[in-house]
Amino acid sequence: MLDNKTIGKAMTIKLGNELPEYPEFDDSKRRAPDRGFRLTKAQTKIALKNALRYVPEELHEKLAPEFMEELTTLGRIYAYRYRPEGRLYGKPIDEYKGKGLAGKAFQVMIDNNLDFEVALYPYELVTYGETGQVCQNWLQYRLIKKYLEELTENQTLVVESGHPLGLFPSKPEAPRVIITNSMMIGMYDNLEDWEVAEEMGVANYGQMTAGGWMYIGPQGIVHGTFNTILNAGRKYLGVSQQGDLEGHTFVSSGLGGMSGAQPKAANIANAVGIFAEVDYSRIVTRHDQGWVDVIMDDIDEIFKLAGEKLAAKESISIAYHGNIVDLLEAAVEKKFHIDLLSDQTSCHNVYNGGYCPVGMTFEERTELLHHDREKFCEEVDKTLHRHYKAIKSLTEEGTYFFDYGNSFMKAMYDAGIKEISKNGYDDKDGFIWPSYVEDIMGPVLFDYGYGPFRWVCLSGKPEDLDLTDQTAMDCIDPNRRAQDRDNWVWIRDAKANKLVVGTQARILYQDAEGRTNIALAFNKLVREGKCGPIMMGRDHHDVSGTDSPFRETSNIKDGSNVMADMAVQCFAGNAARGMSLCALHNGGGVGIGKAINGGFGLLLDGSERTDEIIKSAMMWDVMGGVARRNWARNENALSTSVEYNKNYAGKGHITIPFLADDELVAATVEKFVK
């Protein structure tokens, strides 16, 4: 075995032997709860050694007890000592060190994810979704930054579950960074084994865009929520194609775990919105941002105010400081009509703090989670049963309920509510109420290729964002489809709606050709010196990026909803075509073992080379998913694929399924299967 002196001399990129001063923490910032300590003594030894391998031997004696204190009291080694002092945020790109533009650009993205204004638990590197981390600890953060400062266009940085594996010789046309997170072997791809791996420092929950360095603050989910509730109104409430949700109610819960986007989306859609949240600090954050109009804790007063606004046909977003179950049970009792109902708590992490049992405060929840996890889980299950009963009563009175892709209904099923199963015996065919993708987003948007691509103006200049907003709007024909009209209006009003939290960023739903045209137009702006460089990417929640039977692929009905081929192919294809960053994660918004997510980042540097990457990669990134959805016989994906084969004859071609007659199939099966 080599000695540490030899090992140290073998590296030029490493953490030094100077011990950083322990940083001061701002007590006003939210902190992650104790995640639980469940390692054996043997596993604990490995976990400690895993953390100590980042630092020279002469620091081990000092750091070992600090790391063990964190592990045994918080369930994770965060290496707090290595957090930089003060506020982290996405600074203008020119303020970062680096040998290449990409290395500096990704530093902007990482620091934005950890901004106090953006991150859910900034001191624990959790960006959103209760456990979605940029990386596992501050040792990794510092080392990643060092690597990015050295990264050239002839190298690729590989990051595995937050750990920077190293720089590898590459070429300018290849990705600059490749990231994977929590890619568990199938036998161990479950929450229990993942928690052990995470505690040992070998797994990182990337969520979707946290560990893929592409989170742009909560506006990302505002647009998706806006699209969902608006189209739900059109489908179920008689709202016209040009109308909004005036005179209608939208009720949900969770104002920070998954984003806190619902009240802002409700305001933009002109609805009367009521949103429950047990953590008062999250309510205050959204209220301070102007995303929540009023804060209330009296349910009777809430219903009174909501009724007044409905009568006046005025919009308002009300934050209810309390448990959603109490609110819904009161709505049943008092016959308060709810038009649209959902949930946006972190139910993919339901037994680890993502959902609060009814009858206790947020502080009591945190205490119970820490001291008696078994009891906590029992109370969660009881609450889910009451939650289910309340929703069932409301839907019987005409409420449209949809799962917002947070594993909410799956959590109910796992809690023993088997009657929520659609087929009556398992969860493979979904549940009695639809996922928002199954019912709305899938057929209306994803099957056509529309999804949430996004960009960040790396200069940090608001005027660059203004220019890109106008340029994107100029690329959209609002008369082509209703979807284009909605998104043209969205981008037109984006600045007025004050959506920016953190970096100067925007989200916009567009199809393959739309994204390609906008990306080329942006790259031209950079080339002509009209704005600074731009990082373009998307939410992994998209047409092609994610295989998830309870969310993104919930409208896939050919049995392949349990397969992860699409996400992996999307990731591999993006890497082959030279996207600047390619990411592949396990879990996402629905939980470990329930999804595989592929994402990307593309640095628009103004070069002709980037134009060529846009032309090949952007189309692939979208149409791969449309092709798979078409193969599952999704009607709108079929028509989009037919159009693609016509428009790209000689360049591209999609396999389109022949359709079998339902009566013939039924009659044939009847003869053979009794």
Side-chain angles (χ1 to χ4, degrees), residues 304-570:
K304 181 182 175 185
L305 177 60
E308 291 170 356
K309 293 295 181 181
L310 287 167
K313 298 202 169 182
E314 295 174 358
S315 175
I316 191 172
S317 57
I318 304 167
Y320 164 56
H321 182 216
N323 197 294
I324 183 64
V325 174
D326 289 325
L327 182 73
L328 298 186
E329 289 177 344
V332 173
E333 182 186 345
K334 300 177 185 299
K335 299 190 183 303
F336 178 82
H337 182 67
I338 297 171
D339 291 305
L340 304 176
L341 175 63
S342 190
D343 182 272
Q344 213 162 320
T345 57
S346 299
C347 272
H348 65 283
N349 215 1
V350 67
Y351 299 117
N352 208 8
Y355 183 84
C356 182
V358 72
M360 62 181 68
T361 65
F362 181 73
E363 291 73 23
E364 289 168 342
R365 155 268 196 192
T366 304
E367 211 42 40
L368 185 61
L369 180 62
H370 176 73
H371 290 294
D372 191 344
R373 186 164 176 177
E374 187 176 338
K375 175 68 173 175
F376 175 82
C377 295
E378 289 175 6
E379 293 300 318
V380 165
D381 285 349
K382 289 178 185 176
T383 301
L384 286 168
H385 279 255
R386 284 175 60 177
H387 205 156
Y388 170 79
K389 187 178 177 182
I391 294 172
K392 192 175 181 184
S393 296
L394 290 165
T395 56
E396 288 170 355
E397 295 300 319
T399 295
Y400 172 70
F401 172 81
F402 58 95
D403 185 314
Y404 201 80
N406 58 343
S407 278
F408 179 61
M409 288 193 290
K410 172 61 170 163
M412 287 183 166
Y413 180 83
D414 291 342
I417 307 171
K418 302 305 180 186
E419 63 183 282
I420 201 171
S421 163
K422 183 183 285 187
N423 61 27
Y425 53 86
D426 65 19
D427 56 11
K428 287 186 177 179
D429 294 328
F431 304 105
I432 59 173
W433 299 307
S435 155
Y436 74 123
V437 174
E438 183 179 8
D439 219 28
I440 298 167
M441 297 287 278
V444 176
L445 293 164
F446 290 176
D447 287 353
Y448 287 105
Y450 292 89
F453 87 102
R454 52 184 64 185
W455 65 91
V456 174
C457 296
L458 296 165
S459 68
K461 297 177 179 177
E463 53 266 35
D464 279 8
L465 185 59
D466 292 344
L467 179 59
T468 57
D469 282 347
Q470 184 60 53
T471 303
M473 193 166 68
D474 292 343
C475 290
I476 299 171
D477 177 5
N479 299 313
R480 183 175 66 140
R481 293 191 183 116
Q483 295 92 327
D484 294 296
R485 173 70 185 173
D486 288 346
N487 286 292
W488 187 85
V489 170
W490 167 270
I491 203 72
R492 181 196 68 189
D493 298 341
K495 185 176 182 179
N497 285 323
K498 298 178 180 177
L499 295 165
V500 171
V501 179
T503 55
Q504 297 295 314
R506 188 69 74 221
I507 186 169
L508 175 65
Y509 275 59
Q510 273 293 284
D511 65 358
E513 289 187 347
R515 299 185 209 194
T516 302
N517 293 336
I518 291 169
L520 288 169
F522 286 1
N523 202 44
K524 186 180 179 184
L525 292 178
V526 179
R527 184 161 50 246
E528 294 175 348
K530 293 178 180 178
C531 76
I534 297 166
M535 182 65 73
M536 181 166 280
R538 57 164 168 76
D539 193 338
H540 304 0
H541 159 72
D542 198 8
V543 180
S544 309
T546 297
D547 285 298
S548 177
F550 306 114
R551 191 159 79 175
E552 285 79 2
T553 48
S554 58
N555 71 319
I556 301 284
K557 303 296 187 183
D558 68 345
S560 69
N561 60 328
V562 301
M563 305 301 292
D565 295 292
M566 180 178 71
V568 176
Q569 290 278 5
C570 186

Side-chain angles (χ1 to χ4, degrees), residues 59-90:
L59 301 180
H60 288 187
E61 189 171 349
K62 175 69 176 178
L63 290 172
E66 287 186 14
F67 291 170
M68 278 302 300
E69 176 73 16
E70 293 173 7
L71 181 59
T72 54
T73 61
L74 298 170
R76 302 285 188 275
I77 295 174
Y78 296 112
Y80 288 126
R81 180 179 286 277
Y82 281 80
R83 185 193 186 276
E85 190 72 57
R87 178 195 171 205
L88 296 175
Y89 65 99

Side-chain angles (χ1 to χ4, degrees), residues 640-653:
T640 304
S641 298
V642 169
E643 187 179 352
Y644 175 88
N645 283 0
K646 177 183 175 183
N647 294 341
Y648 291 88
K651 297 178 181 178
H653 191 277

Side-chain angles (χ1 to χ4, degrees), residues 620-638:
W620 156 251
D621 186 69
V622 178
M623 292 308 298
V626 174
R628 188 272 185 90
R629 294 168 182 279
N630 132 89
W631 191 241
R633 298 179 288 273
N634 291 14
E635 184 178 353
N636 294 332
L638 282 166

Side-chain angles (χ1 to χ4, degrees), residues 38-48 50 71 196 200:
R38 57 187 59 76
L39 301 182
T40 65
K41 185 173 283 189
Q43 290 169 333
T44 304
K45 290 177 181 177
I46 295 172
L48 182 58
N50 286 349
L71 181 59
V196 170
M200 293 179 72

Side-chain angles (χ1 to χ4, degrees), residues 120-141:
L120 176 62
Y121 303 128
Y123 289 125
E124 288 76 36
L125 301 106
V126 175
T127 302
Y128 72 108
E130 199 62 33
T131 54
Q133 293 179 283
V134 172
C135 50
Q136 298 174 55
N137 55 57
W138 294 104
L139 297 159
Q140 292 179 343
Y141 169 87

